[in-house]
Amino acid sequence: MSASQTSPLVSSEVETRPDKGLSTALEANGVRADFPGLFTANGKPWHYLDTAASSQKPQKVIDAMSRALGADYATVHRGVYGRSAQMTLGYEAARRRVADFIGADSEDEVVFVRGATEGINLVAQSWGMANLREGDRIVLSMLEHHSNIVPWQMIAERTGAVIDVCPLTEDGRIDLGALEDILTPRTKIVSLAHVSNVLGSVLDARAAADLAHSVGAKLLLDGCQSAPRMALDMTALGCDFYVFSGHKLYGPTGIGVLWGRKDLLEDMPPWQGGGAMIEKVEFARSTYAPPPQRFEAGTPMITEAIALHAAIDYVAEQGPDRLFAHEAALAKTLREELRTLNSVKLFGPEESAGIVSFAIEGVHPHDLGTILDEEDVAIRAGHHCAQPLMEHLGVPATARASFGLYSDDSDIAALLRGIDRTLKIFA
Ligand code: PMP
């Protein structure tokens, strides 16, 4: 492509252009000012387009975490003194808040884990070891994150179960027609991304659940990319397990959630032993607490849970439905703008969540990322922990711009200016 292929958004006057038909209401509400991480050291706007990897945190979350680590701090569950009792109330209130946010029937279905990765490992090791036998089938899809591949490979090796891979439609969605063909009565679990972290494709979770259940299999949804941008209702989704990470939901690192249907969790053995997960310990044998405590061995992520509560309150204030529409509109605009550039190849479906993967002919995504960094634009470049998907797409890496509730068209304009500069450098 020649440098004269300049996108109409690339001009200095577009920095705050309000005329693109985008929802800028969130920005107008002052959302951006809530996030200290969205500014450079010089106080200039930082165009953070890597929210799918980890989101920036609103001040309310930082304050909640700081209070919990400071004046309010004590451990939970065992203390006989008032501060510990207060912290226990705070920790358990966070569990109830999560249950309410995701439409769980009961807070007993909410297990605090370190993140989505740990949640999937927990299900693979606990439910998997109890339920998978030699020759049973585990179904994954071509677009899964390594976190939703490797734990299943590890358990397949130990149990003799076999992994089947569901292909994608041409535009990069999990092919539910193909899923139907793959399922057999030996399929025991189907584990799929609700929203792809690379392509932004959104799974019809209810249809996937119905298909899985039609052969008696369970459905685990990897909700890492859906929890931060969609209104959730576990009953409506119809899944059996759902996992997400707090740090992608405007909360802190080190905490995530495994939601599991109560009857399933009750039947699952513990996966880690230690304090807090027991009923009674004797040297001859120990008995275990009911879920969710059965799966929370050791001192839990107390301050992280309290900060996650604050993050969920913040997201709920914004309205999760509004977030999806806002980010999807940004993704659509970015796709339209990139399509005007001949050397840009776009991946994924037209209708997607706020995640756009692309490649520029003759420019390695890492070079693009480095040049954009000089322009205070942060994108992701690499395989996005989805190497099988990269192989399927026939590329070693893509560039990925992902939006959050604080993103607006000034971020798109800055990205396009940076791409324009990159094209000039590589011309
Ligand atoms: N699944 C998906 C779809 C993801 O995007 C991610 C994070 N990139 C993960 C799983 C893993 O999340 P975490 O590293 O927070 O456990």
Side-chain angles (χ1 to χ4, degrees), residues 1 49 334 338 341 343-347 356-382 384 397-401 414-426:
M1 176 188 339
L49 292 169
L334 177 58
L338 290 176
L341 307 175
S343 60
V344 171
K345 184 170 162 51
L346 282 160
F347 302 98
V356 178
S357 265
F358 60 98
I360 303 179
E361 207 183 308
V363 182
H364 194 284
H366 284 143
D367 292 331
L368 174 64
T370 306
I371 295 168
L372 289 173
D373 187 36
E374 292 165 8
E375 307 273 326
D376 294 332
V377 176
I379 60 150
R380 191 75 158 188
H384 317 293
T398 71
R400 181 188 71 185
L415 171 61
L416 293 171
R417 277 197 302 277
I419 291 177
D420 189 50
R421 198 182 132 223
T422 308
L423 292 172
K424 285 178 177 141
I425 292 170
F426 280 83

Side-chain angles (χ1 to χ4, degrees), residues 13-225:
E13 86 223 23
V14 297
E15 183 75 73
T16 55
R17 61 198 300 288
D19 58 337
K20 196 63 195 168
L22 280 177
S23 148
T24 47
L26 291 167
E27 230 259 293
N29 284 344
V31 168
R32 226 160 157 117
D34 293 344
F35 292 81
L38 287 179
F39 299 87
T40 67
N42 307 329
K44 287 199 309 182
W46 190 44
H47 297 287
Y48 185 68
L49 292 169
D50 198 17
T51 295
S54 201
S55 58
Q56 295 295 327
K57 319 302 171 200
Q59 190 61 46
K60 280 184 180 171
V61 168
I62 300 165
D63 290 345
M65 183 113 177
S66 169
R67 265 196 317 276
L69 277 169
D72 292 350
Y73 188 75
T75 192
V76 292
H77 291 152
R78 284 171 291 272
V80 290
Y81 45 91
R83 179 97 69 88
S84 173
Q86 272 310 112
M87 268 319 235
T88 305
L89 289 178
Y91 181 70
E92 292 304 329
R95 196 190 304 280
R96 279 197 302 282
R97 187 69 183 95
V98 169
D100 183 50
F101 182 68
I102 65 173
D105 282 343
S106 149
E107 66 256 36
D108 293 343
E109 297 180 329
V110 173
V111 181
F112 282 128
V113 288
R114 201 161 54 80
T117 301
E118 190 171 270
I120 298 172
N121 276 279
L122 193 168
V123 176
Q125 290 186 37
S126 168
W127 183 91
M129 277 312 281
N131 291 281
L132 294 172
R133 303 281 169 271
E134 192 167 350
D136 282 346
R137 321 290 297 192
I138 299 166
V139 175
L140 310 175
S141 88
M142 188 62 88
L143 56 66
E144 298 310 316
H145 188 280
H146 296 165
S147 299
N148 196 26
I149 300 174
V150 183
W152 297 112
Q153 288 174 326
M154 289 163 64
I155 212 67
E157 254 173 48
R158 284 164 66 189
T159 58
V162 180
I163 291 174
D164 294 313
V165 182
C166 180
L168 307 182
T169 58
E170 216 158 286
D171 65 351
R173 288 170 295 116
I174 296 173
D175 187 340
L176 292 181
L179 176 63
E180 189 167 9
D181 294 340
I182 286 171
L183 295 171
T184 79
R186 292 301 305 264
T187 308
K188 293 292 180 281
I189 188 150
V190 178
S191 193
L192 302 174
H194 194 188
V195 171
S196 161
N197 66 311
V198 180
L199 304 174
S201 14
V202 183
L203 174 73
D204 180 345
R206 182 78 229 189
D210 290 345
L211 284 173
H213 294 158
S214 71
V215 294
K218 307 289 177 246
L219 176 69
L220 183 151
L221 284 181
D222 173 355
C224 260
Q225 301 298 342

Side-chain angles (χ1 to χ4, degrees), residues 254-294:
I255 189 154
V257 166
L258 161 66
W259 169 85
R261 266 188 23 224
K262 200 168 179 196
D263 55 324
L264 295 176
L265 291 178
E266 273 168 356
D267 282 347
M268 282 162 52
W271 78 308
Q272 289 178 346
M277 52 73 75
I278 51 87
E279 212 168 52
K280 186 162 171 48
V281 174
E282 291 173 276
F283 276 112
R285 75 181 277 272
S286 299
T287 52
Y288 309 124
Q293 281 74 27
R294 185 185 301 162

